Amino acid sequence: MSSLPARVTRRVGRLRDQFEESVQQRVATVRAREQSHTTQADSGNLAFGHGYLVRAPGVPRPPEVAGWRTRTISGFVYHARARITASPVSTGGAVVLVGRAVDVDTGNVSPQRLTDELSELAAQSTQALIRRAAYLGGSWTLFRHSPDGSCTVLTDALASQRVWHSPDARTIGSYAALVPDSTALPTNSLLHVTGTGEVTVRRFYPWPDTDPPGQGAPTTDLAAAYAEFRKRVVAHTRLLSDLGRPGLPLTTAPASRAVLAAYLPHRRDGGYTFTSFATESARKGQDQANELFEASRVSHELGIAHRVVRAVVPPWGDSFSVAYRRTFPQGTSLASAFARHTLPRDTVELHAAGADVVDLRSWEQLGQDYLEGDLAHRVLLPFNDRRLLEIMLSLPAEQRTKGLLVNRLAAELDVA
């Protein structure tokens, strides 16, 4: 009889242990699910940053765009995280501007005013519309829906907001991952889809009535060319700086210093420079560290805040890592993109892409790794201006190759 309580106690103890273990497992499972849901929700908010998707009538909505702002225009369904601005055309159809365009010639940054102006030109002819839109700065994609059901699509000078289209062009989006089996629209080309579904991709630039950039008689007045170049890039940088908190990636490269020089005449409160730094790079030498210290020194001399962002690969299950893989399944710059993710969300990154254009080939084959920053904030390019690129290519080939205009602008920092 005396052993009964002991057996009962041991039995109760085992049951209690089993119960506690079960509860702990359940709690761990719930927490894992909650974390998974949080990760998926956060990654969903980050993935396809500033992206868009356009569906023709009858095309099913993909799950990736659930929760995006949506509009139906001329029968097409627009989903976008970027701005959508539309204007009807008096002769029928509509003009739709996705993204942020700026007019360097007039200083106009109003999306609605620009779209209204383009719709007036569209009433004259699609060619008039294309010729005018081609010289807008910013980052944008333009759709012209005609009354016959056809659609014409083009993008900015450097194709900084991509156009990926399905073979039948019934689905068009800013990221390949949004459009299965898609093809990217080449720079300086437009996409045209007829009302009966015929798809044409056509190179619309250089213009047939002018010499291709860099192939006509080169300018002989380098001083005048530089004055026009400087005025243009400073004006474009000023307009872009009004769209958010300016953040300028700064290295020892002349291109990044040229953008900084173009920014200085109209610096904004809260603006800053930043430099990515991989701490592991010290194992291979001091080059990255020296570049970081130099960027910090220049920023200090100019009285501009300088941020250091550490380039490191985030954990596999991290929200940003998941968002990156969803957006760029073949991407190879996760660490760099993650570093920029730590910058303020209202940042407008003024990236120097396009500064090294030396001929039409380098223009049209420009790399676009800068797009990966769009998961964290907005990336805009002061050199994404067709007129500016034409000025750069008007120089003799030797001067273009040496980067005469960009190097001269960079030298204006005068903080050596």
Side-chain angles (χ1 to χ4, degrees):
M1 295 293 295
S2 60
S3 63
L4 181 59
R7 290 199 299 271
V8 171
T9 300
R10 288 195 296 271
R11 176 61 175 170
V12 170
R14 285 196 297 270
L15 291 174
R16 184 180 63 245
D17 292 343
Q18 292 173 1
F19 177 76
E20 290 178 351
E21 182 179 356
S22 177
V23 169
Q24 290 173 357
Q25 290 177 348
R26 178 60 179 167
V27 169
T29 299
V30 170
R31 286 178 176 172
R33 288 176 178 172
E34 289 177 346
Q35 180 61 41
S36 176
H37 292 162
T38 300
T39 298
Q40 291 300 322
D42 290 347
S43 65
N45 292 331
L46 289 169
F48 309 111
H50 304 282
Y52 72 86
L53 182 75
V54 181
R55 298 184 290 127
V59 175
R61 186 196 74 179
E64 289 86 352
V65 301
W68 294 18
R69 65 173 65 93
T70 301
R71 295 181 63 178
T72 300
I73 304 170
S74 295
F76 288 75
V77 182
Y78 281 74
H79 306 277
R81 287 193 160 158
R83 182 188 294 264
I84 307 173
T85 311
S87 183
V89 179
S90 60
T91 55
V95 169
V96 183
L97 190 65
V98 180
R100 287 303 300 262
V102 299
D103 188 347
V104 182
D105 292 307
T106 66
N108 185 8
V109 297
S110 167
Q112 193 61 63
R113 284 171 51 198
L114 287 171
T115 308
D116 290 345
E117 178 190 342
L118 294 173
S119 70
E120 293 178 4
L121 290 172
Q124 300 175 22
S125 70
T126 299
Q127 185 57 36
L129 167 70
I130 294 169
R131 194 91 178 212
R132 177 69 180 93
Y135 287 93
L136 294 177
S139 180
W140 50 269
T141 305
L142 184 70
F143 295 79
R144 165 48 167 142
H145 296 285
S146 298
D148 62 0
S150 65
C151 181
T152 301
V153 187
L154 68 151
T155 189
D156 54 61
L158 292 175
S160 70
Q161 185 164 278
R162 302 303 304 273
V163 174
W164 292 89
H165 62 91
S166 59
D168 58 5
R170 289 175 57 78
T171 307
I172 301 171
S174 54
Y175 294 98
L178 289 173
V179 187
D181 303 318
S182 57
T183 301
L185 181 66
T187 304
N188 286 327
S189 298
L190 59 81
L191 171 69
H192 182 74
V193 188
T194 67
T196 57
E198 297 176 5
V199 180
T200 303
V201 173
R202 176 173 64 85
R203 192 171 188 245
F204 72 86
Y205 183 88
W207 310 116
D209 57 348
T210 59
D211 289 325
Q215 297 184 27
T219 182
T220 56
D221 191 341
L222 298 183
Y226 178 71
E228 188 178 4
F229 163 84
R230 186 186 187 283
K231 179 181 178 181
R232 188 85 184 183
V233 71
V234 167
H236 194 193
T237 304
R238 177 179 64 81
L239 296 179
L240 300 181
S241 297
D242 286 338
L243 302 181
R245 181 205 304 248
L248 292 79
L250 184 59
T251 67
T252 55
S256 72
R257 295 168 71 99
V259 173
L260 178 56
Y263 165 76
L264 289 179
H266 43 258
R267 63 173 71 189
R268 301 290 189 264
D269 291 341
Y272 63 91
T273 61
F274 70 91
T275 304
S276 297
F277 179 68
T279 53
E280 296 79 5
S281 65
R283 300 172 182 173
K284 300 180 180 180
Q286 296 300 312
D287 289 348
Q288 271 202 36
N290 292 337
E291 187 166 87
L292 170 64
F293 296 146
E294 175 63 11
S296 182
R297 183 192 70 81
V298 170
S299 300
H300 176 74
E301 291 289 334
L302 295 173
I304 298 177
H306 179 244
R307 296 171 180 259
V308 179
V309 292
R310 185 187 176 202
V312 60
V313 176
W316 181 260
D318 178 84
S319 298
F320 186 85
S321 181
V322 173
Y324 181 89
R325 294 196 304 271
R326 288 178 61 189
T327 310
F328 304 104
Q330 307 302 321
T332 59
S333 303
L334 175 57
S336 175
F338 182 65
R340 292 151 80 188
H341 167 59
T342 64
L343 298 173
R345 295 287 289 175
D346 62 345
T347 293
V348 171
E349 180 181 334
L350 302 178
H351 196 282
D356 55 352
V357 166
V358 296
D359 52 28
L360 195 58
R361 178 183 176 83
S362 63
W363 174 347
E364 296 184 336
Q365 296 186 355
L366 185 70
Q368 295 177 314
D369 58 335
Y370 58 83
L371 291 176
E372 297 179 353
D374 269 347
L375 298 188
H377 47 257
R378 199 68 173 110
V379 181
L380 297 172
L381 318 177
F383 287 91
N384 188 18
D385 174 359
R386 194 174 303 273
R387 178 57 191 143
L388 184 66
L389 295 169
E390 289 175 342
I391 296 170
M392 293 167 63
L393 296 187
S394 71
L395 268 61
E398 181 181 1
Q399 304 297 344
R400 281 184 267 139
T401 303
K402 292 181 178 179
L404 174 70
L405 300 180
V406 172
N407 289 337
R408 183 170 173 181
L409 181 57
E412 288 191 13
L413 288 182
D414 193 27
V415 288

